[in-house]
């Protein structure tokens, strides 16, 4: 909801929804999905249903939508069925955030699961970086903010500096420093962990808070996310910057 | 900007704009102002100009608006001229925040300067409390968030518990715990401290970050703030709760 106040065109936007959309998307790439089409509404998925080589996923309020076999649990994507296929996915917060960011020069998808691969690319692209936290129904949430803090710490160590109006980045960094030695514990009282606990999804939470399970770098090309690391890597991203010159 | 997502009618809303609107208002009450009329726009003040016993103040972007002798520096209110008068004030962020909160059952104005007096009243009213951070042009800022964290810590110590969706309160508390031993130092890189430093207002910042310079409790009655501590105290607030019953 606040994104337009901060958005600038010459920016690499990293969309994050740690619990669980962007973690699920990273896991799907790790297990061989060829591309991911994020769509905002459940209705938008109907067009793709019953297509060959397409998996359709829908989550609302933490649960798989009735009539769908996939939601946004990372574990559900750890299977061979998804290899080479296209995933069409809509979730409560994450896919809307990707939609909101569509004007930025480059959109990447981040999670703790692809942290190193993502930040290596950010360092090498060497542009302003904006982390767009999906939050929960437009509200602030802790876990996405912690991820933003982790990215901030990483880029500061690489010699990046704060932008002019960076109170949000400063706050995320301070929170991350308080939390980094036990993210799961830090989130004990957080609304989303409690929400998922009620749904027996504590294992999901733990998995989504673990670092570097994949080297994928999901990159939005047109309407689809592809894994930049398997499609040209940094060169792909650099040429995208040239093409999308503001 | 996010306030409507969190607002609930049965709430005591504390509006805070540490740098500097609500700190200035508290200082004005400490030095004898009788009431404060916060207005959103500079034009809204014209009606009051040249009225006897009225002081008109306008600040935009950290500076006193041309043609006005008062802005939002607390120090400017430390004089005998203001005693018994009405202050009409418009500022970049703070007065808009008061306007935004107008639907809540009780609106109080907070700052570090009246921290103990404010929180004692909050403890005794014993209702849900919402801290509305004015921020900067609708963006997040650090200093108001730290104040929210200080209030959170205080009320938790008094036996209050978190509301259902309290990630923002959790984050503010964690930030405050990291910052509390030297707020000024913690804000070193903050956007607003730097903005005010450029305007030679570092002394203002230091003053606004000091605790308990006044026992005033500014309370919005109709369109005016009055000092509840001198107009019935807790009884005034409790009877307001009865009158504004939702």
């Amino acid at each position: 909801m606040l994104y337009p106040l901060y958005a600038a065109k010459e920016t690499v936007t990293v969309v994050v929804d740690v619990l669980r959309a962007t973690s699920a998307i990273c896991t799907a790439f790790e297990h061989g999905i060829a591309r991911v089409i994020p769509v905002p509404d459940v209705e938008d998925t109907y067009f793709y249903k019953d297509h060959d080589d397409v998996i359709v996923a829908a989550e609302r309020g933490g649960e798989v939508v009735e009539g769908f076999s996939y939601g946004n649990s990372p574990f559900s994507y750890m299977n061979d069925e998804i290899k080479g296929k296209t995933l069409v996915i809509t979730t409560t917060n994450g896919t809307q955030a990707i939609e909101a960011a569509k004007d930025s020069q480059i959109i990447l998808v981040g999670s703790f699961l692809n942290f190193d691969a993502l930040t290596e690319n950010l360092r090498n692209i060497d542009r302003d970086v904006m982390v767009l936290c999906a939050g929960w129904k437009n509200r602030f949430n802790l876990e996405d903010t912690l991820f933003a803090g982790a990215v901030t710490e990483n880029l500061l160590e690489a010699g990046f500096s704060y932008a002019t109006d960076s109170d949000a980045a400063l706050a995320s960094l301070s929170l991350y420093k308080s939390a980094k030695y036990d993210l799961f514990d830090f989130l004990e009282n957080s609304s989303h962990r409690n929400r998922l606990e009620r749904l027996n999804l504590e294992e999901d939470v733990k998995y989504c808070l673990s670092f570097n399970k994949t080297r994928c770098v999901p990159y939005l090309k047109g309407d689809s996310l592809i894994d930049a690391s398997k499609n040209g890597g940094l060169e792909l991203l650099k040429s995208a910057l040239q093409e999308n010159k503001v």
Side-chain angles (χ1 to χ4, degrees), chain A:
Chain A
M1 195 164 177
L2 296 181
Y3 177 74
L5 292 173
Y6 291 91
K9 289 210 163 195
E10 278 185 72
T11 297
V12 178
T13 299
V14 177
V15 176
V16 59
D17 182 6
V18 169
L19 298 178
R20 296 169 287 163
T22 60
S23 300
I25 289 169
C26 289
T27 306
F29 276 116
E30 175 62 18
H31 288 81
I33 207 89
R35 60 177 188 146
V36 176
I37 305 178
V39 294
D41 299 311
V42 175
E43 293 73 42
D44 300 326
T45 66
Y46 296 158
F47 172 77
Y48 299 95
K49 267 197 155 177
D50 308 318
H51 276 56
D52 286 348
D53 295 328
V54 171
I55 289 170
V56 180
E59 171 268 357
R60 284 296 178 274
E63 303 191 83
V64 179
V65 176
E66 217 187 301
F68 290 78
S69 37
Y70 284 82
N72 64 1
S73 172
F75 293 118
S76 61
Y77 296 98
M78 295 177 183
N79 73 66
D80 283 343
E81 198 206 330
I82 71 168
K83 219 161 227 155
K85 291 189 179 164
T86 293
L87 168 65
V88 176
I89 184 168
T90 180
T91 70
T92 309
N93 311 292
T95 53
Q96 277 87 337
I98 295 171
E99 182 72 22
K102 276 200 166 152
D103 269 349
S104 40
Q105 215 173 351
I106 287 194
I107 299 173
L108 303 177
V109 160
S111 69
F112 290 110
L113 304 174
N114 72 334
F115 188 80
D116 278 357
L118 173 78
T119 49
E120 281 165 28
N121 278 276
L122 293 175
R123 287 169 177 222
N124 286 320
I125 295 171
D126 198 19
R127 292 286 172 109
D128 287 348
V129 173
M130 155 105 59
V131 179
L132 169 50
C133 298
W136 179 259
K137 297 183 179 170
N138 286 323
R139 292 173 181 83
F140 170 89
N141 82 6
L142 266 176
E143 63 276 12
D144 295 341
T145 307
L146 292 177
F147 174 83
V151 172
T152 303
E153 183 183 69
N154 185 290
L155 296 181
L156 288 174
E157 280 168 6
F160 282 57
S161 54
Y162 287 114
T164 323
D165 183 359
S166 301
D167 277 19
L170 284 161
S172 73
L173 177 62
S174 172
L175 287 167
Y176 180 65
K177 282 182 173 167
S178 300
K180 65 197 267 191
Y181 298 107
D182 194 342
L183 294 173
F184 188 72
D185 186 59
F186 188 84
L187 292 174
E188 190 185 346
N189 293 311
S190 77
S191 58
H192 209 136
R193 191 181 139 185
N194 288 324
R195 202 175 291 125
L196 294 176
E197 251 171 44
R198 284 195 297 278
L199 299 169
N200 287 319
L201 294 170
E202 205 153 31
E203 288 309 308
D204 276 50
V205 176
K206 281 187 185 154
Y207 187 75
C208 293
L209 297 176
S210 51
F211 277 82
N212 302 325
K213 299 289 186 186
T214 172
R215 296 283 307 165
C216 77
V217 180
Y219 155 67
L220 191 70
K221 191 176 165 66
D223 289 329
S224 303
L225 293 162
I226 58 171
D227 180 358
S229 78
K230 290 186 176 153
N231 289 279
L234 193 60
E235 290 317 306
L236 171 72
L237 302 179
K238 285 196 167 165
S239 69
L241 279 178
Q242 287 305 317
E243 277 167 38
N244 303 336
K245 227 172 190 167
V246 200

